[in-house]
């Protein structure tokens, strides 16, 4: 092995392609350099002459140190170079002059007024036909309403044989089967419109008005005068029908030398949705941009349009018009010029403030504003995993207009009428599922690096945490642990006894993770490759017969067709202990590169005309591919561990990933901008249904200094997924390597994470029940506070804790906005009444954290080495009194690893805690609070060792009502007191009176 000059690692790898031959691999700073290096370094004889060796090393060095730009825009498409986006972006009713999207016989809408006719009214569905110029050329539509209140509008080709691809295993079974549909009553019906009414499972009325000429769907929450959302209000409907090429016509396209045969021709769909009462929209991850999505095109009123749906003022700059009204005001916001893209891609060192799509896609958007002085929230989910673009136009008092453009697939749209942030998340979660309950260890701190070198390195890092009294739960191994990037193998020269190594780490209550990527090295001596090849389990070339061969970390690779349920079943079994040699039940998995990443493919991914199971083109499934791989891997770990909860991290994701496991925000950089943008990224994922996420602490690329590293750990304390990770070329950065001061502060930050785990676990269970995010933007908790709508540098942990992290270098103070209510400084107990902004001085050790009045939650404050060591530890109850001297909260516990909480045994415990009239009462939770659980199946007998009260307490003793025991109340100031060692159990019904 040769490790090259300075920080650029070049390895003569262990690829044994022939006797006495090794393959040269280069790890450079960007994919372009890597690709050039691979092309210039063919298989070379092991005993080469020294002069040849020197020449090749110098060539590698020259390539590695050539100018490398982090994000190379020319490698990726924009709307202008994505033909379907360019065709459909400008198409809306009344505009015919600049963009022709097809012949009349092949397009419905697309610049011509779309009309509808009702062809059937069933008990739970209304069937329509949509057409434009010719009423004998139409597409079929169905409108349905579900028990959650979601309204579904489906548009597809005529006839069963022509139906578009719709992804499977994304929607929940009750939605996919239609079991959760509710009856639709016809309120009125004329030649112009049909009005429908449904009642949700919680008794809320949802009204749907379908206008026929032109076609429009308005969805109303209850008896509201203004619709929650309007589909096709601006005439942007486009449906390109599949057809054969005419004589002399070709469907082929090329991008950067890559050919796309497009054998089915243009099949784009597009539509517009207006949120009339909204001022802000959120969601459609993933990208490194603001929480409140910026307009993508300059405003131009509908009446004055002459060239395009939003007007043609794109490319940035300000528009001239301004609006008024209570839902947002100004229209003349700076625009970003490019629509938001949803297309899963491996993006090297992504840039912030960009509409460019990253590793995952969730085509779900939440709109928020006010009407009649009341907050209004609604949303949309577009059930389509093909490439997509979304335009956003802020229109002042007229709301927010959005335009959705997909390359192919069905037009399958769910409108979510809300009417609150929590209601929208419940409705969305009813469609795609809620967050799976995580194993408790996965909420602790994770330590990762590309790569820990060998078993001794693993041992030293593990010991380092104990020597520095820093807790952690999971140690990770990246791709270098494998035998030549053959996943589920071990490099025996550096990891000769993996099972012993894992067991050693596990002996201290910890776990390990190894990486398993979706590319499979082409090598007939690699059993995984050979077996899948023989079974025909790989993605096929566009001939539908030969296996696709793409380039990734191992070199030439194939890709499992995980859209096939039989392939997923086979892949899950590969994680058995008998198959994955050297693994144990304490080893968990990390799926990277599953967008999928293909180094020599268009946009570093698969060609769109590759063929999947059922003769489906890759373009139809692209954004869901990574989720299917994630799903199969998680199922394998679940089976291996006897139906215990799996833990599998994924980089790629789609709607429904929350049911499978966590994701992280990908290849970020060690700079202050990426620290700051991590918050809107994680918050956006949370309000899009995927709350179990986090960013690489410290940044994946680059070398953070002590201040940046310290500040990042202080933020990471609150990420739902908390992991430090670093690139191969970076300096070592374990938490104790940044000097004594930073080590002490980082230790305190990680310990605080562990202290918060009882509260965070309770929040995850809430997310599991109803979809609520763990980390929340302020507007989610304070929907009537317009000032909070765009705030993204502070956040709520659940409903009880507000955090204002320090995100700028050398900060001496930070502004903290506290919404209406009572707030207490967590550190000093100082009481503040909102709504107001305060300026708080900070040192490197300080992060302003405020506890919300009216809250009760539970901590565990004893310092331990891991979550396993915390089992049975006593708890601290935190009480923060509101303006009436009252507070309420819940505490949830189960075994932290099984699914018994969901079984008929109801093996969990939920306790309700309330404070009123000077008394703390702990009792079994009611059904309205989620249920108490079964005390015969599970009991958490943790002692209460302290009760901390924020707020005025006018006594120095507390009495237990049941026993008559008294306890000292120790005052730490006017608004902070402690009851020490009451020693009641959380499982007891008890009242402590002050």
């Amino acid at each position: 092995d040769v490790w090259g000059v300075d920080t650029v690692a070049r390895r003569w790898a262990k690829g044994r392609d022939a006797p006495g031959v090794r393959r040269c691999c280069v790890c450079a700073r960007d994919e372009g350099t890597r690709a050039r290096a691979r092309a210039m370094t063919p298989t070379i004889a092991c005993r080469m002459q020294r002069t040849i060796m020197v020449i090749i090393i110098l060539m590698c060095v020259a390539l590695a140190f050539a100018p490398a730009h982090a994000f190379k825009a020319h490698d990726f498409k924009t709307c202008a170079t994505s033909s379907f986006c360019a065709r459909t972006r400008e198409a809306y009713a009344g505009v015919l002059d600049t963009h022709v999207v097809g012949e009349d016989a092949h397009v419905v809408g697309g610049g011509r007024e779309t009309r509808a006719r009702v062809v059937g009214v069933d008990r739970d569905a209304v069937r329509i036909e949509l057409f434009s110029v010719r009423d004998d050329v139409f597409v079929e539509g169905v409108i349905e309403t579900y028990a959650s209140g979601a309204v579904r509008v489906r548009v597809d080709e005529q006839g069963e044989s022509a139906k578009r691809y719709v992804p499977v295993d994304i929607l929940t079974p009750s939605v996919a089967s239609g079991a959760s549909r509710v009856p639709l009553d016809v309120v009125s019906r004329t030649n112009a419109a049909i009005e429908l009414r449904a009642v949700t499972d919680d008794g809320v009325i949802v009204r749907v008005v379908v206008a026929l000429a032109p076609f429009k769907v308005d969805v109303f929450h209850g008896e509201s005068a203004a619709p929650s959302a309007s589909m096709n209000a601006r005439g942007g409907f486009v449906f390109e029908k599949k057809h054969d090429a005419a004589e002399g016509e070709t469907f082929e396209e090329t991008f950067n030398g890559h050919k796309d045969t497009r054998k089915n021709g243009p099949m784009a769909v597009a539509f517009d949705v207006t949120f009339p009462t909204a001022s802000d929209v959120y969601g459609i991850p993933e990208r490194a941009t603001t929480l409140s999505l910026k307009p993508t095109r300059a405003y131009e009123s509908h009446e004055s349009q002459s060239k395009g749906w939003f007007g043609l003022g794109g490319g940035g700059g300000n528009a001239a018009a301004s609006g008024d009204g209570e839902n947002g005001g100004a229209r003349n916001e700076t625009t970003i010029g490019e629509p938001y893209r949803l297309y899963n891609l491996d993006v090297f060192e992504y840039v912030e403030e960009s509409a460019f799509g990253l590793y995952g896609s969730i085509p779900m958007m939440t709109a928020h504003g006010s009407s009649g002085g009341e907050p209004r929230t609604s949303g949309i989910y577009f059930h389509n995993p093909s490439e997509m673009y979304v335009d956003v136009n802020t229109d002042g008092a007229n709301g927010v207009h959005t335009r959705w453009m997909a390359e192919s697939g069905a037009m399958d749209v769910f409108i979510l009428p809300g009417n609150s942030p929590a209601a929208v998340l419940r409705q969305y979660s009813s469609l795609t599922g809620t967050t799976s309950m995580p194993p408790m260890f996965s909420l602790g701190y994770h330590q990762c690096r590309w790569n820990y070198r060998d078993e001794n390195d693993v041992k030293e890092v593990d010991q380092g945490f104990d020597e520095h009294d820093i807790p952690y739960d999971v140690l990770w191994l990246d791709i270098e642990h494998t035998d030549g990037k053959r996943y589920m193998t071990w490099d025996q020269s550096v990891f000769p006894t993996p099972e012993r190594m894992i067991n050693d780490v596990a002996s201290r209550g910890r776990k390990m993770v190894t990486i398993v990527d979706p590319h499979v090295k082409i090598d007939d001596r690699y059993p995984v490759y050979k077996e899948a090849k023989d079974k025909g389990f790989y993605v096929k070339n566009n001939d539908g017969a030969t296996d696709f061969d793409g380039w990734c970390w191992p070199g030439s690779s194939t890709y499992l067709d995980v859209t096939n349920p039989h392939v997923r079943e086979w892949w899950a079994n590969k994680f058995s202990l008998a198959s994955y040699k050297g693994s144990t039940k304490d080893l968990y998995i990390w799926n990277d590169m599953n967008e999928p990443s293909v180094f020599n493919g268009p946009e570093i991914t698969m060609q769109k005309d590759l063929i999947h199971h059922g003769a489906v083109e890759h373009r139809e499934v692209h954004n869901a591919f990574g989720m299917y791989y994630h799903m199969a891997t998680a199922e394998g770990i679940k089976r291996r561990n006897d139906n215990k909860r799996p833990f599998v991290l994924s980089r790629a994701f789609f709607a429904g990933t929350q049911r499978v496991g966590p994701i992280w925000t990908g290849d970020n950089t060690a700079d202050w901008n990426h620290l700051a943008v991590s918050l809107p990224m994680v918050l956006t994922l949370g309000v899009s249904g995927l709350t179990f996420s986090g960013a690489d602490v410290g940044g994946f690329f680059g070398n953070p200094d002590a201040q940046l590293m310290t500040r990042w750990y202080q933020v990471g304390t609150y990420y739902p997924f908390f992991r430090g990770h670093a690139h191969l070329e970076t300096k070592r950065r374990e938490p104790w390597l940044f000097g004594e001061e930073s080590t002490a502060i980082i230790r305190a930050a990680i310990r605080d994470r562990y202290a918060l785990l009882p509260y965070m676990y309770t929040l995850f269970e809430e997310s599991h029940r109803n979809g609520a995010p763990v980390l929340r933007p302020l507007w989610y908790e304070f929907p009537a506070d317009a000032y909070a709508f765009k705030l993204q540098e502070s956040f709520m942990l659940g409903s009880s804790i507000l955090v204002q992290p320090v995100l700028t270098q050398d900060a001496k103070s930070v502004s903290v906005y506290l919404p209406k209510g009572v707030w207490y400084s967590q550190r000093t107990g100082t009481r503040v009444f909102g709504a107001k902004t305060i300026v708080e001085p900070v040192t490197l050790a300080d992060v302003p954290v405020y506890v919300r009045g009216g809250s009760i939650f539970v901590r565990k404050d004893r310092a331990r080495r891991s979550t396993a060591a915390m089992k049975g530890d006593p708890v601290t109850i935190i009480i923060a009194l509101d303006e009436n001297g009252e507070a309420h909260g819940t505490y949830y516990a189960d075994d932290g690893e099984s699914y018994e909480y969901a079984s008929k045994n109801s093996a969990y415990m939920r306790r309700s805690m309330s404070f009123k009239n000077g008394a703390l009462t702990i009792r079994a939770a009611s059904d309205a609070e989620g249920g108490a659980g079964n005390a015969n199946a599970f009991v958490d007998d943790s002692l209460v060792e302290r009760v901390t009260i924020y707020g005025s307490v006018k006594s120095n003793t507390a009495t237990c009502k049941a026993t008559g025991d008294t306890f000292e109340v120790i005052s730490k100031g006017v608004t902070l007191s402690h009851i020490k060692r009451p020693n009641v159990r959380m499982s007891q019904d008890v009242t402590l009176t002050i």
Side-chain angles (χ1 to χ4, degrees):
D1 292 344
V2 177
W3 291 88
V5 179
D6 199 52
T7 62
V8 181
R10 289 156 300 280
R11 187 173 182 188
W12 300 92
K14 294 181 176 296
R16 299 177 180 86
D17 297 345
V21 171
R22 294 181 179 178
R23 188 177 296 276
C24 175
C25 297
V26 177
C27 286
R29 286 176 293 175
D30 70 284
E31 174 49 33
T33 303
R34 288 197 294 269
R36 292 194 300 274
R38 284 193 297 270
M40 297 173 69
T41 52
T43 302
I44 301 169
C46 185
R47 294 184 177 180
M48 62 178 63
Q49 296 180 2
R50 180 171 300 184
T51 54
I52 297 176
M53 175 80 86
V54 169
I55 289 171
I56 291 177
I57 290 177
L58 290 174
M59 181 172 62
C60 289
V61 171
L63 284 169
F65 285 93
H69 301 286
F71 176 74
K72 297 187 175 180
H74 64 269
D75 287 340
F76 302 101
K77 288 185 177 181
T78 63
C79 181
T81 53
S82 297
S83 64
F84 77 92
C85 184
R87 287 195 310 276
T88 62
R89 194 181 190 196
E90 308 299 342
Y92 74 97
V95 174
L96 296 171
D97 55 345
T98 57
H99 284 76
V100 179
V101 296
E103 298 299 325
D104 290 345
H106 306 311
V107 180
V108 175
R112 293 161 293 275
E113 181 179 273
T114 301
R115 301 178 182 181
R117 54 184 166 232
V118 177
V119 295
V121 179
D122 301 326
R123 179 64 174 150
D124 55 6
V126 172
R127 290 174 285 112
I128 58 177
E129 291 175 346
L130 292 95
F131 57 93
S132 50
V133 175
R134 292 173 48 176
D135 65 3
D136 62 335
V137 177
F138 58 88
V139 288
E140 300 173 343
V142 178
I143 298 171
E144 302 162 327
T145 303
Y146 290 79
S148 66
V151 175
R152 188 178 194 176
V153 181
R154 286 190 287 174
V155 180
D156 208 334
E157 303 268 8
Q158 304 161 246
E160 288 302 316
S161 62
K163 293 299 183 194
R164 299 282 184 99
Y165 174 78
V166 176
V168 297
D169 300 321
I170 306 295
L171 299 176
T172 58
S174 65
V175 174
S177 67
S180 61
R181 290 201 299 262
V182 294
L184 276 170
D185 297 324
V186 178
V187 177
S188 64
R189 182 175 178 180
T190 68
N191 291 334
I194 181 170
E195 182 175 350
L196 311 165
R197 182 181 182 274
V199 181
T200 69
D201 55 3
D202 56 0
V204 175
I205 294 172
V206 174
R207 294 182 295 127
V208 183
V209 177
V210 183
L212 304 178
F215 171 66
K216 183 178 72 161
V217 179
D218 288 332
V219 176
F220 298 80
H221 176 274
E223 300 301 329
S224 299
S228 301
S230 296
M231 181 177 179
N232 205 46
R234 298 175 64 82
F237 183 93
V238 178
F239 194 107
E240 295 182 329
K241 293 170 64 69
K242 180 180 176 180
H243 65 283
D244 296 327
E247 184 177 352
E249 183 182 16
T250 179
F251 294 148
E252 282 189 6
E253 293 182 346
T254 60
F255 178 75
N256 285 354
H258 297 279
K259 183 173 71 173
D260 178 6
T261 58
R262 292 205 316 155
K263 65 180 182 181
N264 294 320
M267 294 179 64
V269 295
F271 58 92
D272 60 86
V273 173
T274 291
F275 302 101
T277 63
S279 59
D280 296 83
V281 291
Y282 313 89
I284 55 170
E286 181 183 37
R287 65 204 76 256
T289 189
T290 54
L291 175 65
S292 174
L293 294 170
K294 293 179 179 179
T296 56
R297 307 193 68 170
Y299 175 80
E300 186 171 338
S301 70
H302 190 48
E303 291 75 16
S304 64
Q305 285 170 338
S306 60
K307 294 293 186 181
W309 190 76
F310 286 100
L312 296 179
N318 294 327
S322 64
D324 52 25
E326 57 192 342
N327 65 325
R331 299 169 180 146
N332 58 334
E333 301 178 58
T334 300
T335 67
I336 59 176
E338 179 74 5
Y340 295 104
R341 191 184 190 198
L342 289 91
Y343 194 60
N344 296 2
L345 292 171
D346 178 2
V347 183
F348 187 85
E349 284 190 81
Y350 55 78
V351 294
E352 72 276 3
E353 291 300 318
S354 171
F356 189 80
L358 298 178
Y359 312 96
S361 300
I362 302 177
M364 183 268 186
M365 177 183 285
T366 298
H368 185 69
S370 62
S371 177
E374 296 295 325
R376 295 281 303 272
T377 314
S378 55
I380 176 179
Y381 167 57
F382 185 11
H383 185 50
N384 186 319
S386 68
E387 183 184 0
M388 191 180 301
Y389 288 86
V390 181
D391 261 319
V392 173
N393 180 223
T394 303
D395 191 3
N398 298 316
V400 179
H401 312 298
T402 65
R403 181 167 181 77
W404 302 69
M405 300 158 281
E407 182 181 20
S408 58
M411 188 183 292
D412 194 358
V413 181
F414 291 85
I415 297 172
L416 314 174
N419 191 40
S420 66
V424 168
L425 263 294
R426 282 196 302 271
Q427 289 163 355
Y428 173 71
S429 297
S430 75
L431 304 176
T432 65
T434 61
T435 301
S436 61
M437 277 300 289
M440 177 63 84
F441 77 82
S442 67
L443 303 187
Y445 175 65
H446 300 245
Q447 183 64 37
C448 185
R449 178 175 181 81
W450 178 21
N451 203 84
Y452 287 118
R453 297 183 300 269
D454 51 34
E455 291 183 4
N456 189 59
D457 198 7
V458 168
K459 181 178 180 180
E460 289 178 353
V461 171
D462 180 65
Q463 290 176 342
F465 279 89
D466 289 336
E467 290 170 359
H468 293 89
D469 293 323
I470 299 174
Y472 93 103
D473 262 77
V474 190
L475 190 60
W476 295 52
L477 296 177
D478 211 317
I479 56 177
E480 307 303 333
H481 82 277
T482 63
D483 178 11
K485 313 304 185 295
R486 299 168 180 86
Y487 300 108
M488 294 189 285
T489 68
W490 303 86
D491 183 341
Q492 291 295 315
S493 67
V494 286
F495 293 98
T497 57
E499 189 173 347
R500 182 210 56 78
M501 172 186 67
I502 299 166
N503 288 337
D504 179 61
V505 171
S507 70
R508 286 173 289 283
R510 293 166 176 152
K511 313 293 182 183
M512 291 193 70
V513 164
T514 53
I515 195 168
V516 178
D517 289 349
H519 44 265
V520 180
K521 182 179 177 66
I522 296 178
D523 178 0
D524 280 329
R525 290 163 297 180
Y526 177 28
V528 171
Y529 168 75
K530 184 64 165 60
E531 184 179 349
K533 175 187 174 185
D534 292 345
K535 291 178 179 293
F537 279 173
Y538 292 118
V539 176
K540 305 301 180 186
N541 288 308
N542 60 22
D543 60 11
T546 57
D547 291 343
F548 169 66
D549 179 349
W551 196 281
C552 209
W553 294 126
S556 290
S557 305
T558 49
Y559 292 74
L560 291 168
D561 183 7
V562 286
T563 67
N564 185 338
H566 299 297
V567 175
R568 296 202 299 270
E569 173 76 13
W570 173 84
W571 182 240
N573 289 330
K574 293 292 115 182
F575 291 92
S576 69
L577 298 180
S579 182
Y580 188 172
K581 303 295 184 182
S583 67
T584 78
K585 291 184 178 182
D586 291 304
L587 182 69
Y588 294 83
I589 302 298
W590 168 20
N591 289 160
D592 197 0
M593 315 294 284
N594 55 333
E595 292 75 27
S597 179
V598 182
F599 290 162
N600 60 339
E603 302 192 270
I604 318 176
T605 193
M606 283 185 177
Q607 289 93 325
K608 290 182 175 180
D609 58 359
L610 299 183
I611 303 299
H612 289 273
H613 174 65
V616 174
E617 283 192 308
H618 181 71
R619 79 182 75 251
E620 306 280 3
V621 303
H622 176 84
N623 285 343
F625 180 90
M627 177 188 168
Y628 286 129
Y629 188 72
H630 191 196
M631 184 187 300
T633 304
E635 177 62 25
I637 300 303
K638 180 180 174 181
R639 291 181 189 177
R640 184 204 68 186
N641 282 14
D642 306 318
N643 206 39
K644 298 289 179 64
R645 302 175 210 172
F647 172 78
V648 178
L649 180 73
S650 174
R651 190 169 69 178
F653 56 86
F654 188 63
T657 288
Q658 67 272 13
R659 304 194 311 265
V660 183
I663 65 99
W664 89 108
T665 61
D667 296 346
N668 57 356
T669 303
D671 65 43
W672 290 91
N673 289 335
H674 272 227
L675 167 61
V677 82
S678 73
L679 288 178
M681 292 180 77
V682 172
L683 291 169
T684 294
L685 287 161
V687 298
S688 304
L690 183 49
T691 196
F692 199 2
S693 70
D696 284 341
V697 171
F700 180 62
F701 293 105
N703 294 301
D705 61 18
Q707 183 184 171
L708 176 58
M709 197 69 180
T710 302
R711 290 301 190 197
W712 214 317
Y713 270 103
Q714 291 169 334
V715 174
T717 296
Y718 303 97
Y719 289 153
F721 174 63
F722 185 20
R723 181 183 75 157
H725 185 35
H727 189 271
L728 184 74
E729 298 171 17
T730 63
K731 298 175 183 178
R732 292 294 286 258
R733 56 163 88 153
E734 284 70 44
W736 53 87
L737 296 179
F738 293 87
E740 291 185 9
E741 180 187 18
S742 287
T743 297
I745 298 171
I746 291 170
R747 179 190 298 115
I750 297 177
R751 282 184 176 180
D752 198 43
R753 165 60 167 236
Y754 279 78
L756 285 167
L757 285 181
Y759 176 52
M760 295 189 75
Y761 196 68
T762 298
L763 293 176
F764 267 96
E765 193 277 334
E766 180 185 353
S767 183
H768 174 66
R769 273 187 295 120
N770 60 31
V774 172
L775 212 67
R776 303 172 184 177
L778 266 63
W779 64 263
Y780 184 94
E781 283 295 318
F782 303 93
D785 189 341
Y787 186 79
F789 291 178
K790 288 182 170 60
L791 289 182
Q792 62 182 37
E793 294 187 344
S794 57
F795 55 85
M796 297 291 297
L797 182 64
S799 62
S800 301
I801 298 174
L802 185 150
V803 182
Q804 175 62 70
V806 181
L807 304 174
T808 56
Q809 190 171 15
D810 300 328
K812 299 295 188 261
S813 65
V814 63
S815 294
V816 185
Y817 176 71
L818 299 172
K820 184 178 180 180
V822 182
W823 300 88
Y824 301 90
S825 167
Q826 179 178 265
R827 182 172 58 87
T828 67
T830 301
R831 181 170 54 195
V832 182
F833 293 92
K836 70 184 333 180
T837 298
I838 61 174
V839 177
E840 188 165 327
V842 293
T843 68
L844 185 61
D846 297 326
V847 176
V849 177
Y850 283 80
V851 183
R852 184 182 184 182
S855 302
I856 303 181
F857 59 92
V858 170
R859 293 170 55 104
K860 285 189 176 182
D861 287 323
R862 295 192 180 183
R864 301 296 191 189
R865 65 166 32 145
S866 66
T867 55
M870 296 172 67
K871 288 184 177 178
D873 273 359
V875 304
T876 296
I877 298 176
I878 306 294
I879 303 172
L881 304 181
D882 64 14
E883 58 271 21
N884 298 315
E886 298 178 1
H888 179 78
T890 59
Y891 169 66
Y892 175 88
D894 59 28
D895 63 19
E897 61 178 13
S898 78
Y899 291 97
E900 283 299 301
Y901 68 88
S903 73
K904 63 181 180 181
N905 293 327
S906 298
Y908 66 88
M909 185 184 82
R910 182 180 288 106
R911 308 294 287 166
S912 176
M913 302 171 290
S914 61
F915 191 94
K916 187 175 183 179
N917 298 326
L920 168 65
T921 300
I922 304 174
R923 58 169 177 79
S926 66
D927 289 344
E929 294 170 310
N934 183 356
N936 294 320
F938 178 84
V939 173
D940 178 357
D941 271 334
S942 298
L943 283 172
V944 179
E945 68 175 350
R946 173 178 291 192
V947 177
T948 295
I949 304 172
Y950 293 96
S952 299
V953 173
K954 297 179 172 63
S955 176
N956 58 6
T957 60
T959 303
C960 178
K961 183 178 179 180
T963 65
D965 294 338
T966 60
F967 310 96
E968 183 181 9
V969 177
I970 301 172
S971 176
K972 294 293 184 181
V974 176
T975 56
L976 180 61
S977 305
H978 302 291
I979 304 173
K980 297 187 68 175
R981 290 185 290 278
N983 292 333
V984 297
R985 297 188 181 277
M986 285 301 299
S987 57
Q988 292 177 260
D989 288 353
V990 66
T991 297
L992 293 175
T993 302
I994 297 175

